[in-house]
Amino acid sequence: MNEHIELPCHRDQFYVRSRRSVPAARQLTERSLKWWGLDSWDRSHDLSLCVSELATNALLHGVPRGRGFLLRLRYDGELVRVEVHDSGPGTPRVPDEPGGPGGPESEGGRGLLLVAALSDKWGVGERTPGKIVWCEFAVP
């Protein structure tokens, strides 16, 4: 009757529209992974890189002047989910998708290619205003 219920680990942090927010988001991610006992996990660096890419994309393309973005990290014992919430318009796409940014010689759009390659899943969710760009990593 009194069974122990394990709640997911959860971190939320709001960041202002500043270049310093990207390394700060990555540091929060690395501290969170350490707190959750995942700092020696072989995918921890991949996850931190994805946070940097999603935070950078939010700052460059999704955060209007005077606004910021929310980084949400969640670990439930089996999965780490990263979400970056912004209030800007548009839907991010990788360069290979129809309507995606640039072509082979384009300098933009490579961040989402990294996220797609390193994470197990990624996507874009709706939010009013704006969007949520997320990625997930399964933990063995």
Side-chain angles (χ1 to χ4, degrees):
M1 179 148 200
N2 288 334
E3 78 181 63
H4 179 71
I5 298 173
E6 195 68 36
L7 297 175
C9 301
H10 190 92
R11 296 275 168 94
D12 284 352
Q13 181 65 48
F14 183 80
Y15 294 95
V16 296
R17 188 174 187 235
S18 164
R19 286 186 207 170
R20 289 183 229 140
S21 293
V22 174
R26 189 173 179 135
Q27 288 171 357
L28 175 71
T29 301
E30 291 166 357
R31 285 194 313 268
S32 298
L33 291 173
K34 184 173 184 172
W35 180 256
W36 299 334
L38 298 174
D39 52 326
S40 60
W41 177 38
D42 61 341
R43 298 183 75 191
S44 64
H45 294 293
D46 293 345
L47 194 143
S48 293
L49 179 59
C50 288
V51 166
S52 291
E53 293 299 334
L54 294 179
T56 299
N57 282 351
L59 287 176
L60 293 177
H61 309 292
V63 177
R65 291 191 192 282
R67 301 264 178 108
F69 69 92
L70 173 74
L71 171 64
R72 173 167 289 156
L73 303 169
R74 183 180 171 128
Y75 173 53
D76 66 5
E78 297 177 6
L79 186 78
V80 178
R81 181 176 171 101
V82 174
E83 296 179 358
V84 174
H85 299 232
D86 70 52
S87 56
T91 301
R93 291 184 171 86
V94 295
D96 295 348
E97 291 179 343
E105 48 294 317
S106 174
E107 292 185 24
R110 300 294 180 248
L112 284 179
L113 276 176
L114 281 172
V115 172
L118 296 174
S119 66
D120 295 318
K121 287 201 270 188
W122 80 278
V124 181
E126 292 184 19
R127 174 177 183 242
T128 302
K131 63 197 157 297
I132 302 166
V133 185
W134 58 269
C135 62
E136 295 178 341
F137 291 78
V139 179

